[in-house]
Amino acid sequence: VNTDIAIIGAGPAGVATACASMAAGAAVVLIDDSSTTRRPVRLDEALAPAVRRRLTALGLEAALDDREVARSTGVRGRWGTADIERSFLFDPNGDGFVVDRWRFDRRLRTLATRLGLPVLVDTARGLTRSGDRWQIELGRQAGTVAARWVVDATGRAAWVGRRLGARPCHDDRLVAVVGTGRLARRVARVTMVEAIEAGWWYAFGSDDSRATAALVTDADLARAGGYRSPAVWRSELARTSLLGPALAGFELDGMPSVVPCGNVRLDQPCGPGWLAVGDAAVAHDPLAGSGVVRALDSGIEAATVLAAAAGRRDVLDRYHESCRERFATHLARSAAFHRREPRWPGSPYWARRAGTGQLVT
Ligand SMILES: Cc1cc2nc3c(=O)[nH]c(=O)nc-3n(C[C@H](O)[C@H](O)[C@H](O)COP(=O)(O)OP(=O)(O)OC[C@H]3O[C@@H](n4cnc5c(N)ncnc54)[C@H](O)[C@@H]3O)c2cc1C
């Protein structure tokens, strides 16, 4: 296969880059391995209301027209001295959504294919450059894709960037200890957030019978606390004052999963003939709950860079700066939000965020 732009990874960032680049007239190929692997454990995510507008701009709005996509009407939280109550009632974008990410991503790819995008279901295994063209070796079909540009949309793996010598800069070592399961009774259609001594929890219902809940903390504290044990996880949840009562009787599907979710960016998000988008370039903690919207935005921005960058170093330099700025802005907001929680100055989690402990251990 010979193309202008080869995009490795077809999550929201890869699909957005592909659709926006195709709309700008480029020949694009998407390569994604997720359909070659077994369906992972079901992980649901709450999508901010703004997702609909982004998907509409890309011609992908139908991804939300699915009987399994639930509505989310706001955010409710207990953090610091004040409770948080944010309704989407007056949000110009309307409600938010709760989606099964595996299913949502599969729908995005199907819709992208219908728009005329070739999606190769395969794993990128090798990457070489000769002259001004890349050769991407595929795993399963043992073929190659030749392209002028390669886009790293592989999520936190940052497979392309790391191969090309870029290094991930971690700001912390956050993990989410995520449990999914059955509800004993219906919960309000909101995302719940609650600070605890060891970090914070989030939870939301996917429908009337299922929910996702996660304890977010530093990796070393998660290990030391033994939070992956279902008994410990359940008892920590039961001790919370907002989530615990709302999720009373919650029945875990199995062991909670430990998923890295810290703030990290590539020191070099682009270079001659390549750039990284979405989580591959800049990944945030899930506090703002806007990873998918950011991934779509990042893909839309990348498409404009790709259209303008041929032979222009300044365009890539600006993109690099834009990634650095996005990361710094999120860190500043996250730090300010953490400062609103004064209750446990002696706990390692909060002390690290107050600047009296090492965030990256
Ligand atoms: C615990 C946790 C909870 C979160 N909760 C939310 C939430 O509630 N709401 C929200 O908006 N965001 C949430 N996020 C963030 C959100 O998941 C990410 O920001 C978003 O998925 C980033 O999209 P992406 O397209 O950059 O990467 P991804 O979605 O990670 O997609 C990367 C794709 O690349 C493919 N790939 C990787 N390597 C290769 C290879 N070598 N060859 C071919 N394909 C490859 C993968 O299979 C995958 O399909 C959460 C994140 C975490 C960790």
Side-chain angles (χ1 to χ4, degrees), residues 163-186:
R163 268 188 108 81
L164 298 176
R167 278 171 312 128
C169 307
H170 292 270
D171 195 68
D172 54 51
R173 298 285 182 191
L174 271 185
V175 294
V177 190
V178 190
T180 57
R182 304 218 142 265
L183 286 165
R185 58 193 162 84
R186 289 174 56 173

Side-chain angles (χ1 to χ4, degrees), residues 19 22 58-60 108-117:
C19 289
M22 193 175 68
L58 293 162
L60 301 169
L108 284 183
R109 288 193 282 275
T110 304
L111 292 166
T113 309
R114 283 194 205 140
L115 290 173
L117 267 172

Side-chain angles (χ1 to χ4, degrees), residues 150-172:
V150 65
V151 174
D152 186 349
T154 60
R156 285 173 181 265
W159 182 85
V160 174
R162 287 182 195 228
R163 268 188 108 81
L164 298 176
R167 278 171 312 128
C169 307
H170 292 270
D171 195 68
D172 54 51

Side-chain angles (χ1 to χ4, degrees), residues 30-95:
L30 263 170
I31 303 161
D32 192 89
D33 66 358
S34 52
S35 312
T36 64
T37 51
R38 246 172 4 102
R39 189 192 207 290
V41 285
R42 177 174 169 150
L43 277 183
D44 290 351
E45 288 185 5
L47 309 187
V51 76
R52 182 185 282 286
R53 200 143 44 96
R54 306 303 197 280
L55 291 173
T56 303
L58 293 162
L60 301 169
E61 195 188 356
L64 297 169
D65 299 338
D66 177 1
R67 67 192 145 73
E68 299 219 1
V69 171
R71 296 283 174 147
S72 162
T73 60
V75 179
R76 187 170 295 165
R78 193 151 288 168
W79 192 285
T81 47
D83 281 357
I84 300 164
E85 188 76 52
R86 193 178 139 225
S87 163
F88 297 147
L89 190 63
F90 298 109
D91 191 303
N93 296 300
D95 284 344

Side-chain angles (χ1 to χ4, degrees), residues 78-345:
R78 193 151 288 168
W79 192 285
T81 47
D83 281 357
I84 300 164
E85 188 76 52
R86 193 178 139 225
S87 163
F88 297 147
L89 190 63
F90 298 109
D91 191 303
N93 296 300
D95 284 344
F97 304 89
V98 174
V99 299
D100 164 356
R101 269 300 302 277
W102 190 82
R103 190 179 160 103
F104 176 75
D105 287 8
R106 205 177 48 170
R107 274 180 78 81
L108 284 183
R109 288 193 282 275
T110 304
L111 292 166
T113 309
R114 283 194 205 140
L115 290 173
L117 267 172
V119 181
L120 302 178
V121 178
D122 215 323
T123 308
R125 290 223 191 280
L127 180 67
T128 47
R129 186 161 159 96
S130 84
D132 65 348
R133 289 193 87 72
W134 297 97
Q135 295 284 337
I136 300 153
E137 259 174 63
L138 301 180
R140 243 173 28 134
Q141 297 166 9
T144 54
V145 173
R148 216 154 46 84
W149 282 94
V150 65
V151 174
D152 186 349
T154 60
R156 285 173 181 265
W159 182 85
V160 174
R162 287 182 195 228
R163 268 188 108 81
L164 298 176
R167 278 171 312 128
C169 307
H170 292 270
D171 195 68
D172 54 51
R173 298 285 182 191
L174 271 185
V175 294
V177 190
V178 190
T180 57
R182 304 218 142 265
L183 286 165
R185 58 193 162 84
R186 289 174 56 173
V187 288
R189 291 288 171 91
V190 293
T191 298
M192 293 176 278
V193 181
E194 181 168 352
I196 59 164
E197 185 169 357
W200 51 280
W201 282 85
Y202 69 80
F204 46 78
S206 317
D207 53 37
D208 290 344
S209 64
R210 299 190 54 77
T212 298
L215 195 174
V216 180
T217 186
D218 292 324
D220 60 329
L221 304 179
R223 272 193 304 276
Y227 301 134
R228 200 168 173 221
S229 140
V232 176
W233 189 92
R234 265 195 305 265
S235 91
E236 287 295 320
L237 178 62
R239 286 172 50 194
T240 57
S241 62
L242 176 70
L243 274 68
L247 298 180
F250 182 68
E251 226 179 90
L252 264 175
D253 286 337
M255 287 273 279
S257 325
V258 179
V259 188
C261 65
N263 292 299
V264 57
R265 72 174 174 94
L266 279 184
D267 64 348
Q268 289 291 332
C270 53
W274 74 276
L275 57 83
V277 294
D279 276 11
V282 178
H284 296 308
D285 62 52
L287 194 53
S290 59
V292 169
V293 171
R294 286 171 196 267
L296 295 170
D297 281 345
S298 154
I300 293 167
E301 179 185 2
T304 63
V305 173
L306 290 167
R312 296 210 21 212
R313 183 70 232 181
D314 61 318
V315 176
L316 290 182
D317 287 346
R318 271 205 303 280
Y319 182 69
H320 189 161
E321 194 45 40
S322 153
C323 291
R324 210 176 7 220
E325 260 172 36
R326 262 188 287 140
F327 191 65
T329 305
H330 177 79
L331 288 188
R333 288 194 183 140
S334 183
F337 196 64
H338 277 85
R339 279 195 298 274
R340 285 165 58 180
E341 178 50 84
R343 285 178 288 175
W344 304 283

